[in-house]
Amino acid sequence: MAHATIDRARLKALLDREEAMFVANHPRSLELYNKAQECMLGGVPMHWMKRWEGRFPVYVKSGSGGRFEDVDGHSYIDFCLGDTGSMIGHSPPAVVDAIEKQMRNGLTFMLPSEDSLWVANDMKRRFGLQYWQFTLSASDANRFAIRLARYVTGRKYVLVFNWCYHGSVDESFATLDEKGKVQHRVGQVGPPVHPSHTTKVVEWNDVAALEAALAPGDVACVLAEPAMTNIGIILPAPGYLDKLRELTEKTGTLLIIDETHTMSAGPGGMTGEEGLKPDMLTVGKAIGGGIPCGAYGFSSRVGEMMRQKAIPRDTCDTGGVGGTLAANVLSMATMRATLEHILTPKNYARNIPLAIKFQEDVERVMAEFKLPWIIKRLGCRVEYWMRPTSPVNGTEAVLSIDTDLDRFMHIYALNRGILMTPFHNMALIAPDTTVEDIDYHTLIFRNSVLELLGQKPEALPIKKPAKL
């Protein structure tokens, strides 16, 4: 959606200028990127990395806390934090110590460790679910939870919300077309079947559509974030999560809550903060401090359903649930350190007020220039939108996207030492993020607005981020 308040010719000129500046300031990253064309698809080790602003991604040299340095010697305040993977900051000492200790004592055995027991009990305490299993990613956790939900209910369908995101789960790459029919999500690669064979899709916050989709009694599970995040922060309407729980219970549908991104809300995610009662819960990324990990938990009732179905011992390794490296001792040691020392009430009590400051400072700039924009927050996760009102569902969010404006905001910040999350304008606050980091972002954000409106940016009284 193009914004009437922004002169498009000026935006194009600014974007061209910023991209040229980026290329000029990153010769070593460009050199490495060009070499990578010979051995990596698209010149990157994981193809999402092509979506960073600029003609190529910056190559990382090192990181610590809430900052990192690239191979060209530039230092950055990191508000992306690996899109939640490093929400606890880069290489916190307690996690590094746990990794170093475990690396000297074996990495994987396909056997349990004492850490696995500690982590499972901690997850039980945080989220209120009795039983836990561990994976290498939240995507795997979602896949395994869906498979088990189908197994114990004997039902075919998964229900997801329009423009949701749950990792690389085939059933979740489904959206609604203009007639309300299920279709492939744009960009999905090699889908095994048409999504209408596996998935029902409804709009977030639409109780009537949810009730109609669940009424036939053929949905094994609803897979939902407690607030949509990857299309932007879309909070549940008052009472919506209660209605979701009521309707799933009424129809015998299992409710799977995906807390991977909503761990920003508090130590127990939104489930802990809001007192949610899911049948199953999935989570990953932040709980491992950057080491691959994931987890899924389920209630005593679901555990009993699984016991009644009795997955045979002699074939439990060929059912499509689990993996050789899942729950390896390194992942478990890292999760324990992260949960015990970093994802604590004390750190959230520090981080969330900084996120509130980030939000309020940006709101003041928007009000100063009478911009029809808003900013939303979920715990220590903050995001600005170039629209006047909060979207209530994924479709409204998608229609708000202004690709060129988003690109400009990202690269303008990047050229001045701030890394925001790609795909949307999101910032995470780490335990090492400082008030000065927030203030610097506010100044850069204000200057980007000044330039968009054809005014001269102000000189910055605060220096760019210092090197590590």
Side-chain angles (χ1 to χ4, degrees), residues 189-265:
V189 177
V193 296
H194 193 277
S196 62
H197 297 322
T198 63
T199 306
K200 294 187 179 185
V201 181
V202 299
E203 291 286 5
W204 181 243
N205 283 322
D206 188 335
V207 173
L210 176 64
E211 187 169 17
L214 296 180
D218 54 0
V219 176
C221 60
V222 173
L223 177 60
E225 292 183 291
M228 295 186 76
T229 62
N230 214 61
I231 197 68
I233 298 171
I234 310 176
L235 299 176
Y240 184 70
L241 293 179
D242 291 336
K243 199 65 179 177
L244 173 60
R245 178 67 282 191
E246 176 190 325
L247 290 172
T248 50
E249 286 183 336
K250 178 182 176 181
T251 57
T253 306
L254 297 181
L255 175 58
I256 306 173
I257 292 293
D258 182 349
E259 288 276 12
T260 303
H261 286 164
T262 50
M263 279 301 294
S264 62

Side-chain angles (χ1 to χ4, degrees), residues 52 80 191 208 240 279 390:
W52 287 103
C80 172
Y240 184 70
D279 298 296
S390 300

Side-chain angles (χ1 to χ4, degrees), residues 138-147 166-167 169 223 256 258 282:
S139 292
D140 278 349
N142 282 323
R143 270 190 285 271
F144 300 162
I146 288 171
R147 189 178 288 273
H166 297 283
V169 175
L223 177 60
I256 306 173
D258 182 349
T282 59

Side-chain angles (χ1 to χ4, degrees), residues 20-84:
M21 182 190 305
F22 175 82
V23 172
N25 289 340
H26 296 86
R28 179 59 177 159
S29 285
L30 176 58
E31 179 186 0
L32 293 172
Y33 177 72
N34 287 335
K35 289 180 178 179
Q37 302 297 323
E38 301 174 5
C39 58
M40 291 189 284
L41 183 65
V44 290
M46 195 273 287
H47 68 279
W48 296 2
M49 294 179 186
K50 294 191 295 184
R51 286 202 63 183
W52 287 103
E53 295 314 323
R55 281 179 39 208
F56 48 88
V58 297
Y59 274 66
V60 175
K61 178 182 178 182
S62 63
S64 178
R67 299 191 175 209
F68 75 93
E69 186 174 323
D70 70 18
V71 294
D72 288 289
H74 306 296
S75 187
Y76 301 85
I77 299 168
D78 190 355
F79 287 120
C80 172
L81 296 171
D83 194 12
T84 308

